[in-house]
Each structure stands twice: as C-alpha cells, then as structure tokens.
Amino acid sequence: MSIKIQPEAIASLRGFEMPERLGFGTVMAPVMFRARFQDGRWSDGELLPYGPLALDPAAKVLHYAQSCFEGLKAYRYGDEGIGLFRPERNAARMAHSAQRLCMPPVPESLFMDAVNVVVAHCAGLVPGNSGESLYVRPFLMGTQPDLSVTASRAYEFYVIASPSEAYHPGNMRLWVEREDSRAAVGGTGDAKVGGNYAASLQSISRLKARGYDQSLWLNPGNRHTVDELSGMNFFAVMDGALHTPALNGSILEGVTRESLLTLARDAGLEVHERAIDIDDLLQLVASGTCTEAFACGTAAIVSPISELGDGEQRYRLAQAPGPVAMQLRTALLDIQEGRAEDRFGWMHLVQVASL
Amino acid sequence: MSIKIQPEAIASLRGFEMPERLGFGTVMAPVMFRARFQDGRWSDGELLPYGPLALDPAAKVLHYAQSCFEGLKAYRYGDEGIGLFRPERNAARMAHSAQRLCMPPVPESLFMDAVNVVVAHCAGLVPGNSGESLYVRPFLMGTQPDLSVTASRAYEFYVIASPSEAYHPGNMRLWVEREDSRAAVGGTGDAKVGGNYAASLQSISRLKARGYDQSLWLNPGNRHTVDELSGMNFFAVMDGALHTPALNGSILEGVTRESLLTLARDAGLEVHERAIDIDDLLQLVASGTCTEAFACGTAAIVSPISELGDGEQRYRLAQAPGPVAMQLRTALLDIQEGRAEDRFGWMHLVQVASL
C-alpha cells in the first residue's frame, strides 16, 4: 500500500510542543493515519494533521456502535530507536474484533503500515523515561449514513497516538461484581469493541462510591468464575504457582497476559490457565494460600491488587505488590525498553522518519 | 429553553426536494437539532442545517460506545396537522438508557422541545399515505476527547429525521438464536444503546445465509425463555389469548409493545405477560395451539411471523398474518393516523412552523 504523507502533517509535527504534564491518553499527537473502505476495497492510506472527523449524523457507529479498537505502545528502545511490542498480535485481535461485528478486517499489512507510519513520524514524541511511551490507538468504524440496523458498507480506519506518562494505578482494590455483567454468553466479551466498555461504566461508578478502583467481572454464563477486570486480565499466586482464568469466549485475549504467561513459564514458575471459582479464590486469600494477585494490560503492564471486596466482606492480599508481580513486570519492561535480550522476537523496530 | 433557529436551516428546508423513493431511514431531512452538555449543564438548543458532525478522533463515543438513541414517528394526523405518538415514553426511556451508560439524562422538556422543533419545521416532509411517516431519531453521545475508560464530561444531543415509506418486512421467518446473546444478565438489554445492536449483527448475518429474516433472542440468564427480536418485541396467540415475554431486565420496554397490550386488554382479549419457554412455544406451534405470532416495534408497528427455525427443525405458524395481529395493527394505526378517537391520550399534536 502506498501512504500519502500530507505536507500539513509534517508542518503539524514540526510545530508541535510537548506539554510538560502528559497524563495517559489525554495529549494527542498532531498527526493521524486514515484509510477508507468502500465498495469492497481499502483506499490508500494518508498521514494527516490530527483534527476533527467529519461524520454524517446518521453514521452507523454513532447509533449502533459498529466500531472496534486496539491499544499498543511505542517505547524508546535502547540506542536503536523506537520499538513496538508485538504489534502483529494487535493486528490479529483487531481482525477478530472486526469480524465479530461484521466489519471488514483491516489487513495485517495495512494495520502494520499504518502503525509504523504514525510511530515513525512521531518518534520525537516518544518520551524517554522508563515506563513512558507513545500510546498508539488504531480504531475502525462503520460510517455509512443509514438508520437501518445492518452492517455498514463504508468504514474508516484511523491510527491516533498519545505521548503518555507511565500509568501506575498503584495498588488496586477490586469489587467483585455480582450484579452487572461486562459481556454476554455468546456476546462480544472476547472482542475489543466499544459496547463492552460502555456497559462497564455503571459498575465502575458504583464501586468508586464504595472506595474501590475496578470491577472484578465474573463469567456471565456461570456467574461464579472470574473473567477479568475492565480492560485488564487477572492473575493470582497460590502456593507459589501462577493462576489465571483460561480463555473462555468472554475474556479478552490480552497481549500482556500471553506475554506474562510465556515469561513465567520461561522463569520456571508453575502456571495454570483454568476456571477460577470466585468463592474458592476469596477463601484462599482469607486462608493465606493466595498470597498475591495482580492485573495486567498494555497501559499499566502489571498492577498489584491489595484487596477484594465482596458485599460486606473484604479480603486483603498478604503481598501487594508481591514478588511474582514485580518479577514479571521487570522482565517484561526490560525486554520492551531494550535492557534485556529480545529472546522471543517480540520487539518490532520502527525506522524513524526524517521530518 | 430557548431554541435558536438558524436562517440557514430555514433556507435548507425551502430548498429541499423530496426524492421519489424514500425507503426507510435513508433519506434525511435537511435540518437537525443540537444541544450540548458541558460543565454540568445543557446549552440552549439550535436548529441547524443537516450536515457532518465535527468529532474529535478521541471522542469517547467512537471508542467506548457511550451513546444511546430513540426512534419515534410523526404522522399526518387527520386535518389537524402532525401527530407524534407517545413521545414522552421515548423521553423517559432515553433518560433510562443514558443513566445505564453514566450519561446525563436529557431532561424531558429538552427532549420534547427538540423533537417538536424538528417536526414543526419538517411538517412539509411528513408523507401523507397511510403507514408513511417522518421517522424521528434523537441520539445522545459522549464527545470528550480522552482515551481513558471513564464517562465523558461532554455530550451532544441531536435529533435528526427521515421521511420514510411504510416499513413492511412482510411475513418474517425467525431463527431461534441458541449460540449468541443479544445482551448480558445485568447488562444493557433494557437500554437502547448501540452495543446491543452491534452485538446482534453476527447472528443476523448467519441467519440470512440460512434464509431467515430475524433472530429470536433467548434470555441470556436461563438461555431457555424468549426475550425479543433485535429491535422488536415478541407476541404469540395461544388458544385465543395474547402472550408476550414479561419485562425481565434484558428486554427493551417497547412503546408499541405497551400500547398493543393496552389495546388488547381494551378489546377484551386475555393477555399474559410471562416467561415463555422456547421449547414449550415450539411445541405449541407444532400442535396448533399457538396459531399466530408477531413482532412489534415503532418502525413496522406489527409484523407477522410465519415460521420459527431451530436447528434442523422448522415450525410453521397456522396463520400469518393472523387475525389478532391485524386487529391490533389496525386499532393502533387508526389512532396514530387520526381515524379513531384518541381514547388513551396518546397523540401529541405538533403546531406546524411557518417557513
């Protein structure tokens, strides 16, 4: 695919000044990538100045939430430039998400070219301190203006990016969510689509009022085994072994999840992907058999969990942060930031574009 | 609230030519209403020319589907002008949908003023044949540009409209959906939000390949009782009595559903709102006890169902359309189009604006 670099995009980049405070996902890079899908084919891509999208008020995405997205990070990678972490996994997951909502999957080559061109041109915006990154957000949406509940015939694919601080939510207190569900059986739980996130906002707002940070979602089918947090996968350490819910159709297949499992096995840890009953888990925390728990995701990498709240009961983890969480976090970040050898071939180097 | 009528909106209306073929929800009226919510309060409303919305690429609605909508119809109402059917019910439901997704509810007065001003100015676009209407689509969305998964702090509320033909899907063949779910237990099934519709597209695409028209969704909790179709409620006639699934938290509370129940009771029909087991239902169709079934909604009002498909089995309804469906459809349409007395106070008359 050929990508047209608009001169205005280069001008935006040259004129951009990094704010002193970045936050996470709030400062946007001054360029974006766009490709359009119409009449069964993808257009050439363009790198444009970041700016408002012109969307028809009847566009399907605004009414029927026909959209999906990805999140990945670009890091300063040693002296070699900029590294992306396993972007081909995000490309594959976005194709899966798109198909679940009857959208044309973004071809892997288009996804990779788009992410590459944005990162290559935003290399100067990748912050340099450990844990900081350029957060990259590809998204796809149905744009056909038509109020019928049918799949759109027109789509737009964008990649935007946000220079971001390290995201450290600190020790998290989770609320065991026994009322709401994040996703349905045979629903969209294993796809990265907007509806999952919209549905989760009510639970988050309720638990914040109770002093908690995140919901721990149960499986919508059995209402008794742990699925995940909103946007992060769940891990627990029991008797020194690492346990995480097995993929079951309603859990998002996290890239960080899979990478931590690989690193844990590589370090000789005993690893179990299995159904974890919530009442068993709470009991094991209470008895001290489950010593630590943590969540993982692209943004925070690894976040220790200090407490699980269930109705009137509170279950405190003995170690937060615990040694396994910290060991895995360090191992992953060392690879991502080029301090450790990339033994699994996870890093994808981006050649910096001259502006 | 004061509403600013932009001169360009009036010019758009004066210059608008109705196309010969309307379809349903594809021709858009040349004006739209907009109000914005920011810093905890609603702006004044405006009537603008219909045109592209300028949305920040990081707007929450595009990533996290924080949006909800309504659908209602404006009819030619006798000689008196234009009638809306129970718009206050749509206002109440939209407030409920908004709250489910942590959005500020659109106040009833704002909702009513907005719908009124659009319909008053589009009176010339309300088609005159029986069954035709101006389809009115209010929608609300989170517009704050910020990639964190939190409720937006900024919102936009729009009302757009589409002059539409009568929507007659004809006799429908339904597929009993035993794999996918439309909504989750404790999910968003009783809210009119985009994610429900996005999740349903996969089932619809599968069943169309099998020659069916719509999914019959089962309750996501028990997987054994009937919930609804995508965007329409379900009714069956058994031994002359009318049965429909009771509202259970995963069924959208249809305005047409409630109106048909009222008309049925008023006509002396025996009416049951209850859990309907799918296997019982199929058995009663096979034995001839269930003689007819139909779906209802704002767009089609009443749509007869001719067949239920379940795996390799097909269950044909004895009567499609059946007499109860037709009786209720006529009773409702007669009220909506001013041929019958409005005994329930359902019609809301709109004073036509001079252009």
Side-chain angles (χ1 to χ4, degrees), chain A residues 169-328:
Chain A
N171 281 351
M172 293 192 299
R173 303 172 68 223
L174 303 195
W175 178 259
V176 177
E177 178 56 72
R178 294 192 187 257
E179 287 176 59
D180 286 7
S181 295
R182 175 185 160 271
V185 178
T188 56
D190 72 347
K192 205 163 175 71
V193 301
N196 298 347
Y197 296 83
S200 74
L201 295 173
Q202 170 174 281
S203 168
I204 295 171
S205 125
R206 273 198 308 243
L207 68 87
K208 293 226 157 155
R210 293 174 185 137
Y212 286 84
D213 302 301
Q214 283 277 330
S215 322
L216 183 59
W217 297 101
L218 302 181
N219 184 272
N222 61 40
R223 311 286 291 154
H224 231 271
T225 59
V226 173
D227 267 2
E228 59 167 286
L229 287 67
S230 304
M232 287 197 261
N233 292 114
F234 178 83
F235 282 85
V237 179
M238 303 172 184
D239 274 335
L242 189 63
H243 296 251
T244 195
L247 300 176
N248 60 12
S250 63
I251 294 177
L252 192 74
E253 191 174 343
V255 179
T256 309
R257 174 188 180 279
E258 205 273 333
S259 305
L260 293 183
L261 288 173
T262 300
L263 290 171
R265 290 191 178 102
D266 185 63
L269 276 170
E270 193 181 318
V271 172
H272 301 278
E273 293 183 72
R274 64 175 182 91
I276 299 177
D277 185 274
I278 183 63
D279 292 327
D280 291 350
L281 173 67
L282 295 173
Q283 217 38 62
L284 293 170
V285 173
S287 71
T289 302
C290 176
T291 46
E292 56 172 305
F294 58 90
C296 76
T298 291
I301 308 178
V302 167
S303 293
I305 295 163
S306 58
E307 185 180 313
L308 300 170
D310 182 33
E312 297 302 306
Q313 302 296 316
R314 299 177 167 214
Y315 301 84
R316 294 207 173 76
L317 277 301
Q319 301 177 301
V324 175
M326 289 304 98
Q327 174 193 348
L328 292 176

Side-chain angles (χ1 to χ4, degrees), chain B residues 204-222:
Chain B
I204 295 172
S205 126
R206 274 198 306 243
L207 69 88
K208 292 224 160 156
R210 293 173 185 136
Y212 285 84
D213 302 302
Q214 283 277 330
S215 321
L216 183 60
W217 296 100
L218 302 181
N219 184 273
N222 60 41

Side-chain angles (χ1 to χ4, degrees), chain B:
Chain B
M1 192 189 69
S2 87
I3 296 177
K4 188 181 165 198
I5 312 291
Q6 286 197 359
E8 296 81 1
I10 303 298
S12 302
L13 284 162
R14 286 186 183 143
F16 184 72
E17 287 185 35
M18 282 279 259
E20 243 170 77
R21 298 277 332 249
L22 291 176
F24 196 92
T26 54
V27 174
M28 303 310 298
V31 293
M32 62 186 183
F33 172 91
R34 179 180 65 204
R36 293 189 160 119
F37 183 90
Q38 183 105 42
D39 300 325
R41 70 178 52 154
W42 286 97
S43 70
D44 282 348
E46 296 175 279
L47 191 72
L48 313 165
Y50 186 91
L53 313 183
L55 268 182
D56 192 285
K60 303 257 191 196
V61 60
L62 301 179
H63 301 265
Y64 308 126
Q66 204 191 12
S67 65
C68 64
F69 68 94
E70 276 299 323
L72 65 165
K73 280 175 170 178
Y75 300 83
R76 294 245 161 241
Y77 192 68
D79 297 331
E80 299 173 64
I82 309 297
L84 286 166
F85 184 70
R86 310 184 78 182
E88 70 287 350
R89 300 275 301 189
N90 298 93
R93 190 170 61 184
M94 193 171 198
H96 170 73
S97 301
Q99 283 173 313
R100 179 62 183 82
L101 297 193
C102 300
M103 302 193 275
V106 175
E108 190 189 64
S109 61
L110 171 56
F111 183 96
M112 296 295 286
D113 287 353
V115 168
N116 260 298
V117 77
V118 169
V119 173
H121 285 82
C122 293
L125 308 185
V126 181
N129 295 321
S130 178
E132 294 180 342
S133 65
L134 182 72
Y135 179 77
V136 180
R137 168 60 62 92
F139 63 103
L140 172 68
M141 59 188 181
T143 55
Q144 186 191 349
D146 169 3
L147 297 177
S148 67
V149 183
T150 53
S152 181
R153 285 195 299 265
Y155 295 86
E156 296 186 6
F157 170 52
Y158 288 88
V159 179
I160 58 177
S162 173
S164 292
E165 292 170 15
Y167 179 63
H168 286 309
N171 282 350
M172 291 192 300
R173 303 172 67 223
L174 303 195
W175 178 259
V176 177
E177 178 56 72
R178 295 190 187 258
E179 286 178 62
D180 285 6
S181 295
R182 174 185 161 272
V185 179
T188 56
D190 71 348
K192 206 163 173 73
V193 301
N196 298 347
Y197 295 84
S200 74
L201 295 173
Q202 172 174 279
S203 168
I204 295 172
S205 126
R206 274 198 306 243
L207 69 88
K208 292 224 160 156
R210 293 173 185 136
Y212 285 84
D213 302 302
Q214 283 277 330
S215 321
L216 183 60
W217 296 100
L218 302 181
N219 184 273
N222 60 41
R223 313 286 293 154
H224 231 272
T225 60
V226 173
D227 266 1
E228 57 166 287
L229 287 67
S230 303
M232 287 198 260
N233 292 115
F234 178 83
F235 282 86
V237 179
M238 302 173 186
D239 274 335
L242 190 62
H243 296 251
T244 194
L247 300 176
N248 60 11
S250 64
I251 294 177
L252 192 75
E253 191 174 345
V255 179
T256 308
R257 173 187 180 281
E258 206 274 334
S259 306
L260 293 183
L261 288 173
T262 299
L263 290 171
R265 290 191 178 102
D266 185 65
L269 275 171
E270 193 181 318
V271 171
H272 300 278
E273 293 182 73
R274 65 174 182 91
I276 300 176
D277 185 275
I278 183 63
D279 292 327
D280 291 351
L281 173 69
L282 295 173
Q283 217 37 62
L284 293 169
V285 173
S287 71
T289 302
C290 176
T291 46
E292 56 173 305
F294 57 92
C296 77
T298 291
I301 307 179
V302 168
S303 294
I305 294 163
S306 58
E307 185 180 313
L308 300 170
D310 182 32
E312 297 302 306
Q313 301 296 316
R314 299 176 167 216
Y315 300 84
R316 294 209 170 73
L317 278 300
Q319 301 177 301
V324 175
M326 290 302 99
Q327 173 193 347
L328 292 176
R329 180 188 163 87
T330 301
L332 185 56
L333 206 54
D334 282 353
I335 292 175
Q336 290 178 330
E337 297 184 335
R339 286 182 298 273
E341 191 194 343
D342 178 20
R343 293 167 44 223
F344 304 99
W346 284 344
M347 296 308 295
H348 172 96
L349 294 194
V350 177
Q351 196 161 356
V352 174
S354 56
L355 298 184

Side-chain angles (χ1 to χ4, degrees), chain A residues 35-68:
Chain A
R36 293 188 161 119
F37 183 90
Q38 184 106 42
D39 300 326
R41 70 175 57 154
W42 286 97
S43 71
D44 281 348
E46 295 174 279
L47 191 73
L48 313 165
Y50 185 90
L53 313 184
L55 268 182
D56 193 286
K60 305 259 189 192
V61 61
L62 301 179
H63 301 265
Y64 308 127
Q66 203 190 14
S67 65
C68 64

